[in-house]
Every structure is written in C-alpha cells, then in structure tokens.
Amino acid sequence: MEEEKQKEKRDYTESEKKTLAKIIEDLFIRFSSALRTAQIYEPNNLTFIRQVNLLFNLVQTILKNEGKAHFQFRANTLFFNTVRVKFDFLSYHNFKFLADIFKDKEIGTLGFEPGLSQTELTEFVTLFVDGEAAEENPYENFEAKVKEKGIKHIFLEKVHPSETVGGKEEEEFMQSAIKVFFKSITHLKEVVEREKQKKRVQLKTTRRLMQSIVNLISQNESFMVGLTNIKNYDEYTLNHSTNVCVLAVCFGRRLGFEKRELVDLGVSAFFHDIGKLAISKEILDKPGKLTDDEFKIMKTHPWHGAQKLATLKELSILPVSAINVAMEHHIWSNLEGAGYPKYWKKNYTDLFSRITKICDFFDAVTTQRPYRKKTATREEAVSWLLEKTGIEFDSLLLKVFANMIGVYPIGSLVVLDTAEWGIVTEVNPDMAYMTRPKVKIIADSIGNKIDGKIFDLTEKDPATDKFKKSIVKTLDPYEYDINVADYFITQGVQ
Ligand SMILES: [Fe+2]
Ligand SMILES: [Fe+2]
C-alpha cells in the first residue's frame, strides 16, 4: 500500500509523461484491436494471431520497463499503474470499448504480470470478449473461467461496490450525450468530405443530430456545456464548430426559442465556419501572425461558407439562417469597426449570427491554438466579451450569455477556502448564488490529486449556518496541466 502511494506521488518529468502517455495509447490500441479481432475470428485465424502477437510484444516491453501493466477503473476514472490516464480523445473509442467490457464483467482492475505467456494472452483475449457477461455474478463467473483455463499471469480484481453506485439513468444520459457529441464531429468531417467530392451531403442526419443535441440540452444543460471543454479532438474547425453549436443551442434555449428554432440555430452554428474548408491549412494553422495577404484570404471564409451552403443540393432543408450565419458571424454588432466582410449592405445582422458570434469568440479564445499567445480561461473569456459589449457584441445578448456561463463557468478550475481544488460542474441558476456553483473536488487540502465528490457550494453547516466551502480564486487549467474535459468524458464512460 505504502509502495503504491509512493508511486502515485512520483513526479514524472515532462518527457516521462509524454513517454507514458504514448505507452498507454499504444497499449490501448493494441489491446482493443486484439479484442475486436477476437470478436470476429477464431483463435487459429492468422489476423487474430498477428494482433495478439503485437499486443504480446508490447506487453513484454512494458513489463520490462514498468514491472507491471495494470488497468484500473476507480470512480469513473482510469488509472494505468496508479497513474491517472489523461487519454487524448484520439483513443476515446478504444477507451469506451474497454470500459464497457470492464463494466459488463464488473472488473475493477486488470493487469498483465511478468511471466505472461503468449498462449495465456491468446486464451484471455478470447475469453474476455466471449459472449455476454453472466447476468448474475458476472465477475465471479469470468474469474472462474480464467482460472479454469490456467491463466495465471493476468491479475483480476472485482470493482469496488462503492464504484458501481450512481443513477443508471444519469449514466445513460451522459453516455448518449458523449456519443452524440463525438458523432457530430465525425458527421461534420463527412459533410466536408462529401462536399469536396461534390456528393450529396446528408443534411437530414445533421438535423437529426441537432434534434438530439436540443433534447440532451433540455435534459442537462450543464453536462452538455461541460462537453464543450473538449478541444482539438479532431481538426480544430470540426471540434470548434460542434462546441459553438452546443453553446448556441443552450443560448437559444435561454432566449425562449422553440424546438424547431433551436434545431435551425444548431444547424446554422454547426456550419458557421464551413467556408474555412476553402482556406489552406498553412494559413489556418500558421503558428505566427498572418501576413496582410494571408489575412485577406482568411477573411474570405464567410463568403466561401455562404456560397457553399447556398449551392448545396439539399438546400430545401437547410435553414436560410445558416447562410446568414456563415456570412455574418464576423461582423460586429454595431456594424462598424474591424469585423468582416466589409462590404456588407444590410443594416442589421441576423439574430442567429449575433448569437453565433458570441459563442464563436468564447470557444475560440478558450482553445489552445498555435498562433494564440494566451489561451483564455473560461471566466477570462467572459470578461473579454464584456469589454466589447455594444461594440463587437450585442449587449443584450451578452448579458444572457454571461448569465448562462456564470461567474465561474462550467469547467473552471477553482481553489476553495478549504485549500481543496475543484472543477465547476454546474452553475447555480439562482442569481443570488452565482458564486456558489457545484464543484467536483479533484485535489484534497494537501494537494493530493483525488477523485472526489461533487460538492454543492450552497451547502451550509447547520450548527454555524455558515457555508461549508467557498471559492477563493480560479486557476488556469492549462498552467497546471489539467485537462478539464477528462472530468466530463469519464463521467459517462464507466
Ligand atoms: Fe469564422
Ligand atoms: Fe468559428
């Protein structure tokens, strides 16, 4: 136990962290590929043998360097050899795939141990994906089968009972929310590809996805906003467009829009940057400042976007507002100043455009980009927006948005007066309690990273009638290398 603690506290250097992350990712890919192959092929199939072989070799290398290779799920979080896994979303699907099997079989820990033979590994991989988990005592059943096969070098431990509690409905909601979120990113990628190849784009699917997003937001807005902490999962524009879309729908809901309008707003925000597809990656991802000529090209993306949308074959099911939003989302609300395109003849911009503009700015400045010197925290982004109220952004809308995001936006990293650290998971809807959101505790008062409970800061001590905990300051998650999105994603995975 002491030794475990020691390891947990071990400080990894930056390069060690990178190496470890790479090892975990490779192991994830190898393990899930072997499992997926085992689902399709018989154990004597060549493809299957090759996959197990690759996994076996990798496990051997890890065992040599690390001594063991243990995966452990603890309270919605995955650990690898006691180190919390900060998976980089590229491996999300593999992560989910493994997590589901762990959950079905009620496994808490699975470890590869020195002495493991290739035959044992082959047997285990086959068993692991073999059929449905038993309805009663799935863990005990599985463990018995492993023993029966004489597999001795794979460590198994049942999930701790306290880790399995939690509302089933809530968990299902989170899982479907995450699924829809990632599906939207993938769908936009497909739309882009099909548009390039001049094929029909599936706007019906877009609408269906937007309907799901609208439904999910009406069930749990906080969780959906939390998911917009996911950044750079795929190409920047794809992830960013999905975030802007989620934020815009939340915004529209607060403005009292009806469901159909919300779907239209979602579609419009989703496609706001579609014109960027016409801009080269060298310009889009240029680390430094753009030259005048490059900026001129960049500024053409609203035109390209509007044009692309207007010439879609499926135009009849595209809301007209989508074309407006693509065209107008960089125009300042006072119709003056540095916005673009310059030669705009209308004397107003569409309401959807003004909404998208705010969400666009908020998501953009809170995302790390090669050309941006400083990534804003979520609360900094709100104050940057407010500095431009009535000039670049519509002042009335901005009030609603600031209220929606809150003083401590969802995803903020905060320090409490108990010296604990937390991540804001839910904004308090009562204006009087704006400074008292719900926070998930992620570090205890002496700085140990923990997977703590979600605490409601409005909770008072009945004896003294004083608040039990309060926020004293916020921190920049980038500075402390904390990936806020992890906390939202892992909620729905176990
Ligand atoms: Fe844009
Ligand atoms: Fe944008």
Side-chain angles (χ1 to χ4, degrees), residues 240 272-273 276 301-302 326 329-330 340 360:
H240 162 72
H272 80 279
D273 265 343
K276 283 201 177 161
H301 83 265
H329 69 277
H330 286 286
Y340 59 89
D360 179 40

Side-chain angles (χ1 to χ4, degrees), residues 88-93 182 185-186 230-235 239:
D88 67 354
F89 312 125
L90 284 174
S91 52
Y92 169 74
H93 299 287
F182 283 105
I185 297 179
T186 320
I230 299 169
K231 312 279 191 184
N232 295 322
Y233 162 73
D234 203 315
E235 264 172 61
N239 196 158

Side-chain angles (χ1 to χ4, degrees), residues 71-316:
F71 284 120
Q72 184 183 30
F73 277 98
R74 243 165 41 204
N76 300 329
T77 309
L78 179 65
F79 292 82
F80 175 77
N81 286 356
T82 72
V83 177
R84 185 170 183 277
V85 176
K86 278 175 60 179
F87 61 95
D88 67 354
F89 312 125
L90 284 174
S91 52
Y92 169 74
H93 299 287
N94 291 330
F95 179 76
K96 175 87 176 65
F97 174 67
L98 272 186
D100 281 347
I101 306 181
F102 269 67
K103 195 175 145 195
D104 286 349
K105 296 190 162 44
E106 293 187 345
I107 295 170
T109 308
L110 184 161
F112 302 110
E113 307 252 292
L116 178 76
S117 72
Q118 190 157 343
T119 318
E120 278 180 304
L121 187 62
T122 310
E123 296 269 20
F124 182 78
V125 167
T126 314
L127 267 186
F128 202 55
V129 290
D130 189 21
E132 297 270 300
E135 265 187 34
E136 266 178 49
N137 303 323
Y139 176 80
E140 286 74 9
N141 267 299
F142 179 66
E143 195 190 29
K145 281 188 200 162
V146 172
K147 273 197 184 140
E148 222 171 82
K149 292 274 178 194
I151 302 168
K152 293 197 180 88
H153 300 95
I154 288 184
F155 174 85
L156 287 173
E157 199 171 62
K158 194 175 177 177
V159 69
H160 192 273
S162 67
E163 314 281 334
T164 53
V165 290
K168 185 129 187 67
E169 264 174 41
E170 200 181 338
E171 195 187 298
E172 273 170 12
F173 164 82
M174 287 171 180
Q175 283 183 6
S176 52
I178 292 168
K179 217 164 150 188
V180 168
F181 187 86
F182 283 105
K183 236 190 196 165
S184 304
I185 297 179
T186 320
H187 171 65
L188 188 55
K189 198 174 192 165
E190 277 165 13
V191 168
V192 168
E193 284 307 317
R194 294 181 74 88
E195 201 276 336
K196 268 188 203 155
Q197 296 162 10
K198 300 276 169 266
K199 284 185 186 163
R200 271 183 180 276
V201 299
Q202 291 127 325
L203 282 189
K204 276 193 183 142
T205 310
T206 319
R207 281 202 86 84
R208 261 201 304 275
L209 277 170
M210 293 308 129
Q211 273 154 4
S212 308
I213 288 180
V214 170
N215 289 339
L216 290 163
I217 288 173
S218 64
Q219 286 175 65
N220 188 342
E221 185 195 77
S222 302
F223 188 74
M224 291 303 286
V225 172
L227 289 182
T228 67
N229 283 285
I230 299 169
K231 312 279 191 184
N232 295 322
Y233 162 73
D234 203 315
E235 264 172 61
Y236 165 72
T237 307
L238 304 177
N239 196 158
H240 162 72
S241 301
T242 306
N243 289 350
V244 172
C245 156
V246 169
L247 290 169
V249 174
C250 291
F251 201 158
R253 228 181 119 248
R254 289 189 173 234
L255 294 168
F257 290 0
E258 283 172 15
K259 199 168 167 188
R260 205 191 149 75
E261 292 172 306
L262 289 176
V263 173
D264 284 352
L265 173 60
V267 173
S268 308
F270 191 58
F271 289 135
H272 80 279
D273 265 343
I274 199 147
K276 283 201 177 161
L277 309 172
I279 315 284
S280 75
K281 283 212 167 40
E282 287 74 48
I283 295 184
L284 287 178
D285 297 331
K286 187 178 172 184
K289 218 176 159 222
L290 295 181
T291 63
D292 285 352
D293 281 345
E294 286 167 338
F295 198 41
K296 235 184 231 168
I297 297 173
M298 185 66 158
K299 282 179 175 174
T300 59
H301 83 265
W303 279 110
H304 285 300
Q307 198 181 25
K308 272 183 200 304
L309 292 173
T311 50
L312 285 181
K313 291 194 186 83
E314 303 74 9
L315 188 62
S316 59

